[in-house]
Amino acid sequence: MKKIMVLITACLLISSEIYAQDITLPAPQTDGGLPLMQALSQRQTQRAFSSKELDAQTLSNLLWAANGFNRSDKRTAPTAMNRQELEIYVVLPTGAYWHDAKNNILVQKTTEDLRSLPGQQEFVAAAPLNIVIVADTEKQGNKEFCYIDAGYISQNIYLFCASEGLATVVRGMVNREALSKALNLPEKQIIVVAQTVGYPQ
């Protein structure tokens, strides 16, 4: 009986540790920022990043702007036929996470630092954040729509970065096979693009 109690306690501790790896983000701040025309005028691609990490509030705001829910069942980025086939994975120094946009939680997929996989340039592995846009091909059978829809998310990220003084660059050149395996993506999910975000160097 004592051994069983020890095993149960150990299992509870392990499960609580696994749960604790998820990150509950603060509610996004959906007001403020630059006026649209000013953000558009300052939108740019940058490839030099500081190692300074984004704080939890800025990350929450960024992910909401990228593809969060701005109504109960609709997102900030449109999708063809409202299939909502795109999901965001966040690659940080502490591991890789799926962004549960409904609950605003980063669900940890691995504790490995995968930042070298979303791109081939040196700055990718050194930057504090890489966003990976993933499409569920069963939700959206037409891959062309997936690529177009991913463009909306990427532009949302660009405009948020322009508004907040952050640097960003989107890339189609991604080690998709290795990154898909590291994220444990099912076959129906494909990586569309990756986008690096951080403070300018």
Side-chain angles (χ1 to χ4, degrees), residues 3-188:
K3 287 182 179 179
I4 292 172
M5 291 303 295
V6 169
L7 283 172
I8 291 171
T9 303
C11 288
L12 288 172
L13 286 172
I14 290 169
S15 64
S16 67
E17 285 175 7
I18 291 170
Y19 180 77
Q21 292 171 350
D22 295 347
I23 300 171
T24 300
L25 295 169
Q29 297 168 332
T30 59
D31 56 357
L34 293 180
L36 175 61
M37 298 303 276
Q38 191 175 346
L40 284 167
S41 72
Q42 294 183 24
R43 190 221 62 82
Q44 61 179 307
T45 290
Q46 294 174 276
R47 294 178 175 84
F49 298 87
S50 162
S51 60
K52 178 183 175 183
E53 295 184 23
L54 275 65
D55 62 75
Q57 186 65 66
T58 301
L59 181 57
S60 177
N61 297 350
L62 166 63
L63 294 173
W64 180 84
N67 196 32
F69 284 90
N70 61 2
R71 290 153 288 172
S72 62
D73 62 341
K74 301 290 191 300
R75 296 189 181 232
T76 57
T79 53
M81 297 172 283
N82 193 36
R83 293 290 177 85
Q84 298 187 22
E85 79 279 10
L86 298 174
E87 297 291 344
I88 287 178
Y89 284 77
V90 175
V91 181
L92 299 168
T94 54
Y97 305 79
W98 165 64
H99 181 230
D100 176 354
K102 272 286 185 189
N103 297 301
N104 203 29
I105 295 172
L106 295 181
V107 180
Q108 189 161 55
K109 295 299 180 179
T110 179
T111 57
E112 288 184 72
D113 185 349
L114 305 179
R115 287 178 297 159
S116 63
L117 297 181
Q120 299 174 1
Q121 301 94 332
E122 288 185 12
F123 66 79
V124 177
L129 168 63
N130 283 285
I131 290 173
V132 181
I133 301 173
V134 173
D136 185 330
T137 57
E138 288 186 358
K139 286 185 180 179
Q140 183 59 267
N142 190 328
K143 287 186 181 180
E144 291 182 2
F145 289 159
C146 295
Y147 301 137
I148 294 167
D149 294 343
Y152 300 133
I153 293 176
S154 177
Q155 180 71 333
N156 282 357
I157 294 170
Y158 265 106
L159 291 176
F160 177 85
C161 289
S163 179
E164 298 299 314
L166 297 171
T168 189
V169 56
V170 67
R171 292 176 311 286
M173 292 182 68
V174 180
N175 190 340
R176 286 176 173 80
E177 184 176 352
L179 186 53
S180 294
K181 185 176 180 180
L183 293 173
N184 198 28
L185 298 180
E187 286 188 13
K188 67 176 184 175

